[in-house]
Amino acid sequence: MLIDGLTRRFERQKPAVDYMAEHFGVGPVADFGCGNGIPLAYQADRHPDLFFVGVDHSTDILNRNLARDRANVLLVTADLASRTFPDDSLGSAVFNRSLHEVYSLFGEAGLKQAVTAARNALHPGGRVLVYENAVPSRDRVALRIVTDEVRELFTRFIRDYSVRPVPWTQKTPDTVVLQEDDALEFLTKYRDPDWESEMREVHFLYSLEEWDAVLASCGLEKVAVRRFDDRQILATDGVEPGWEIADFKHVLVYRRPA
């Protein structure tokens, strides 16, 4: 049931995954944080001439990885920040919605360690491909909460969200004001059944400018950035956002300098 739901959602993500494939370098492709393997299996089927390595810290999830039976896929259990590959051995390193999870567990230092490990494994000129959210702004925006149930969920979110404090004010009896990045965190989480895990995870960590600074600090050069509309992941039942929400999902294409 879970895989069926994830597979249906992946249909909407294919344009971003296809765009990443346009930037694959020469040599093996490593998918860091490959998880259930839906994107990995898709890429391996579409590019039978390429060799893929799926990396994840969980042996259990790799045993259920959908790409495990592909002839051009090798699955490896390893921490994303570890030296899994020899230097100069990869053509591309893919982080498909996995770096926000690294950040949630280990902060910016852990994220930089994972990206730097991938960068060191690339051939000169090899590509790092990151598919993540970029914070549209940290402007203060309004949320009108129209049901008691969602009002209670907002109170729980303010109390339980452990990644960072969420400053907010009550504008009217049914309207709250908070930063846009925090508002988007709420709208991606308040209907998720895995509440405890979501309260420990950040989905909106950097703006595009901040992503650029972080990736540049890992020894990478920007090649391209492309925006993809993934606003359908937001839940808005019981809530009326008081601003026009911009596209926030991006593919960031960087390279190891030659």
Side-chain angles (χ1 to χ4, degrees), residues 52-67:
F52 293 84
V53 184
V55 182
D56 203 279
H57 74 281
S58 171
T59 301
D60 179 61
I61 199 168
L62 287 181
N63 287 338
R64 295 179 279 113
N65 188 286
L66 296 184

Side-chain angles (χ1 to χ4, degrees), residues 36-37 40-41 61-71 73-75:
N36 56 53
L40 179 58
I61 199 168
L62 287 181
N63 287 338
R64 295 179 279 113
N65 188 286
L66 296 184
R68 64 187 180 275
D69 60 348
R70 302 311 197 267
V73 174
L74 173 68
L75 299 179

Side-chain angles (χ1 to χ4, degrees), residues 29-101:
V29 178
D31 186 344
F32 289 93
C34 62
N36 56 53
I38 296 172
L40 179 58
Y42 173 78
Q43 294 282 36
D45 290 343
R46 284 178 62 85
H47 304 280
D49 55 319
L50 290 177
F51 186 74
F52 293 84
V53 184
V55 182
D56 203 279
H57 74 281
S58 171
T59 301
D60 179 61
I61 199 168
L62 287 181
N63 287 338
R64 295 179 279 113
N65 188 286
L66 296 184
R68 64 187 180 275
D69 60 348
R70 302 311 197 267
N72 59 333
V73 174
L74 173 68
L75 299 179
V76 175
T77 305
D79 185 271
L80 268 60
S82 64
R83 188 178 182 274
T84 306
F85 301 95
D87 292 351
D88 306 337
S89 62
L90 296 176
S92 306
V94 174
F95 293 94
N96 187 342
R97 295 171 299 124
S98 56
L99 283 180
H100 74 273
E101 296 184 3

Side-chain angles (χ1 to χ4, degrees), residues 183-202:
L184 292 173
E185 290 288 352
F186 176 67
L187 294 176
T188 57
K189 298 176 185 301
Y190 78 95
R191 288 302 186 191
D192 195 297
D194 193 1
W195 180 270
E196 291 187 4
S197 294
E198 288 298 310
M199 291 302 102
R200 298 189 298 268
E201 188 169 332
V202 56

Side-chain angles (χ1 to χ4, degrees), residues 17-224:
V17 175
D18 290 339
Y19 179 73
M20 285 192 283
E22 294 176 16
H23 294 275
F24 284 161
V26 176
V29 178
D31 186 344
F32 289 93
C34 62
N36 56 53
I38 296 172
L40 179 58
Y42 173 78
Q43 294 282 36
D45 290 343
R46 284 178 62 85
H47 304 280
D49 55 319
L50 290 177
F51 186 74
F52 293 84
V53 184
V55 182
D56 203 279
H57 74 281
S58 171
T59 301
D60 179 61
I61 199 168
L62 287 181
N63 287 338
R64 295 179 279 113
N65 188 286
L66 296 184
R68 64 187 180 275
D69 60 348
R70 302 311 197 267
N72 59 333
V73 174
L74 173 68
L75 299 179
V76 175
T77 305
D79 185 271
L80 268 60
S82 64
R83 188 178 182 274
T84 306
F85 301 95
D87 292 351
D88 306 337
S89 62
L90 296 176
S92 306
V94 174
F95 293 94
N96 187 342
R97 295 171 299 124
S98 56
L99 283 180
H100 74 273
E101 296 184 3
V102 175
Y103 184 99
S104 298
L105 290 170
F106 305 110
E108 184 172 287
L111 183 149
K112 287 183 175 181
Q113 190 174 349
V115 173
T116 300
R119 182 259 185 207
N120 291 341
L122 291 172
H123 302 306
R127 303 299 174 90
V128 171
L129 308 166
V130 175
Y131 182 35
E132 283 287 357
N133 296 332
V135 174
S137 82
R138 294 187 178 86
D139 296 341
R140 291 176 65 76
V141 299
L143 284 179
R144 181 170 178 263
I145 302 176
V146 298
T147 68
D148 289 338
E149 178 200 9
V150 177
R151 196 168 292 112
E152 292 176 5
L153 289 171
F154 181 78
T155 300
R156 284 185 64 195
F157 170 72
I158 297 299
R159 182 192 67 210
D160 295 348
Y161 188 52
S162 63
V163 176
R164 61 184 182 232
V166 180
W168 68 285
T169 56
Q170 191 85 41
K171 183 178 180 181
T172 70
D174 63 355
T175 302
V176 297
V177 176
L178 66 170
Q179 291 185 175
E180 183 175 8
D181 52 341
D182 291 329
L184 292 173
E185 290 288 352
F186 176 67
L187 294 176
T188 57
K189 298 176 185 301
Y190 78 95
R191 288 302 186 191
D192 195 297
D194 193 1
W195 180 270
E196 291 187 4
S197 294
E198 288 298 310
M199 291 302 102
R200 298 189 298 268
E201 188 169 332
V202 56
H203 293 156
F204 295 85
L205 48 157
Y206 297 130
S207 67
L208 283 177
E209 293 77 14
E210 290 164 343
W211 270 113
D212 189 47
V214 167
L215 295 173
S217 75
C218 299
L220 296 169
E221 296 177 341
K222 183 163 62 177
V223 174

